[in-house]
């Protein structure tokens, strides 16, 4: 753990979800593979499928409609719809199939094993502080067993612009009815989480479990207040004594 500045009294915490409370990278990889297999299954044999072309299409759609970068689910849906239309499907067919594709994503997206340490830390923290989730992703906290710890979860797209834009942080502040300086935001991303939180007046805890070095991170101009490498270190940050023996939570 590394302290960069003296912390103000902490009365609530907000959390990034993906890559902070669990590692989303293998999950996203499985999602992408599931969508590719689904597309190969539904496409007629005479149509070819090129992953790079679909990625390029997604980038083009974000350029045309910048709001799509803030809503990952709508971005996926629109990419599927337009991509299918470019392959010759009619609008109605493309819309129905795009929703089927999103259903595949949702099913696979929520097949996650949350680490025991995450459950232990959130359970302990939630008995002392109100917790709010702020996510740029679309994981369903109910389905993955995390909703029990949060008084609210705000999603980019559905609830506002994605971090580091202030929308989700402002919603959390309004919900908590606390001064921003008494709220500690915890996240793994230096720009989306640390910079986003600090520009809204929150305190920021950088969850750096990937051994990143701040000087090596491009476009980083905001230091966190504290840096941790294990989620359990949060308990020490907020002054909670805990056992190092992590129990299994179902």
């Amino acid at each position: 753990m590394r302290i960069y500045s003296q912390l103000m009294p902490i009365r609530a915490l907000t959390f990034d979800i993906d890559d902070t409370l669990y590692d989303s990278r293998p999950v996203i990889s499985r999602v992408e593979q599931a969508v590719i297999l689904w597309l190969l299954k539904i496409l007629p044999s005479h149509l070819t499928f090129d992953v790079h072309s679909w990625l390029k299409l997604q980038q083009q759609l974000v350029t045309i409609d910048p709001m799509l970068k803030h809503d990952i689910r709508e971005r996926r849906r629109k990419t599927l719809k337009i991509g299918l239309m470019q392959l010759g499907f009619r609008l109605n067919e493309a819309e129905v199939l795009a929703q089927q594709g999103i259903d595949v994503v949702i099913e696979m997206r929520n097949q996650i094993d949350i680490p025991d340490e995450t459950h232990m830390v959130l359970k302990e923290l939630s008995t002392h502080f109100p917790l709010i989730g702020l996510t740029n992703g679309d994981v369903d906290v109910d389905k993955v067993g995390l909703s029990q710890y949060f008084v609210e979860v705000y999603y980019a797209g559905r609830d506002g612009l994605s971090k580091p834009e202030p929308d989700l942080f402002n919603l959390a502040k309004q919900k908590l009815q606390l001064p921003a300086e008494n709220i500690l935001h915890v996240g793994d991303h230096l720009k989306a989480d640390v910079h986003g939180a600090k520009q809204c007046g929150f305190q920021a805890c950088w969850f750096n479990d990937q051994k990143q070095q701040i000087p090596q991170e491009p476009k980083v101009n905001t230091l966190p207040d504290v840096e941790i490498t294990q989620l359990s270190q949060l308990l020490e940050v907020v002054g909670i004594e805990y056992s190092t023996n992590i129990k299994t939570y179902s």
Side-chain angles (χ1 to χ4, degrees):
M1 182 167 61
R2 181 176 296 178
I3 305 294
Y4 293 92
S5 62
Q6 184 174 356
L7 290 169
M8 297 284 288
I10 298 167
R11 298 171 61 188
L13 293 92
T14 59
F15 280 88
D16 171 55
I17 306 294
D18 295 336
D19 294 327
T20 297
L21 300 183
Y22 73 102
D23 185 357
S24 73
R25 289 166 298 182
V27 180
I28 298 302
S29 179
R30 291 196 298 270
V31 167
E32 291 172 348
Q33 288 299 314
V35 172
I36 290 172
L37 290 174
W38 170 79
L39 281 168
L40 292 173
K41 182 178 179 180
I42 67 164
L43 291 178
S45 58
H46 68 277
L47 293 178
T48 58
F49 173 74
D50 180 5
V51 174
H52 298 292
S53 295
W54 285 70
L55 292 174
K56 184 178 179 180
L57 171 60
Q58 180 172 271
Q59 294 167 356
Q60 291 171 339
L61 292 174
V62 171
T63 300
I64 295 169
D65 181 3
M67 291 301 293
L68 289 176
K69 75 177 183 179
H70 300 288
D71 191 334
I72 187 170
R73 186 163 295 178
E74 179 61 14
R75 188 166 72 242
R76 287 191 185 116
R77 189 193 66 79
K78 189 160 286 188
T79 300
L80 285 170
K81 184 183 79 169
I82 302 300
L84 289 166
M85 290 176 66
Q86 289 180 348
L87 290 173
F89 288 86
R90 297 174 183 174
L91 174 60
N92 289 344
E93 293 176 320
E95 288 179 337
V96 171
L97 288 172
Q99 185 55 52
Q100 290 178 11
I102 292 300
D103 292 341
V104 171
V105 170
I106 292 172
E107 180 180 0
M108 188 63 65
R109 184 71 177 82
N110 294 308
Q111 293 182 14
I112 301 170
D113 292 323
I114 302 296
D116 287 343
E117 182 177 16
T118 295
H119 283 290
M120 182 274 290
V121 171
L122 292 181
K123 182 176 182 180
E124 190 66 35
L125 286 172
S126 65
T127 64
H128 296 82
F129 304 94
L131 310 180
I132 287 181
L134 308 177
T135 179
N136 287 353
D138 59 349
V139 66
D140 188 325
V141 294
D142 288 316
K143 291 182 178 179
V144 302
L146 290 175
S147 61
Q148 59 189 309
Y149 307 118
F150 296 108
V151 297
E152 189 63 81
V153 176
Y154 294 114
Y155 289 85
R158 187 192 74 180
D159 299 313
L161 303 182
S162 57
K163 299 172 294 178
E165 298 297 331
D167 297 36
L168 303 188
F169 294 105
N170 287 339
L171 285 172
K173 181 183 174 183
Q174 292 168 13
K175 176 72 175 180
L176 293 166
Q177 291 293 294
L178 291 171
E181 61 266 24
N182 295 129
I183 304 170
L184 180 67
H185 179 68
V186 184
D188 71 294
H189 200 282
L190 282 167
K191 183 176 181 181
D193 292 304
V194 173
H195 178 69
K198 295 292 287 183
Q199 72 176 351
C200 290
F202 287 43
Q203 299 185 89
C205 175
W206 181 33
F207 178 54
N208 180 21
D209 64 333
Q210 300 299 311
K211 299 181 180 179
Q212 301 176 69
Q213 299 295 323
I214 289 180
Q216 298 175 2
E217 295 302 308
K219 300 181 180 179
V220 170
N221 53 14
T222 306
L223 283 176
D225 295 287
V226 60
E227 174 186 340
I228 60 174
T229 56
Q230 291 180 287
L231 208 59
S232 58
Q233 291 173 330
L234 263 179
L235 300 180
E236 181 180 350
V237 170
V238 301
I240 297 175
E241 294 184 5
Y242 67 102
S243 171
T244 56
N245 297 320
I246 298 173
K247 298 179 181 179
T248 300
Y249 292 85
S250 58

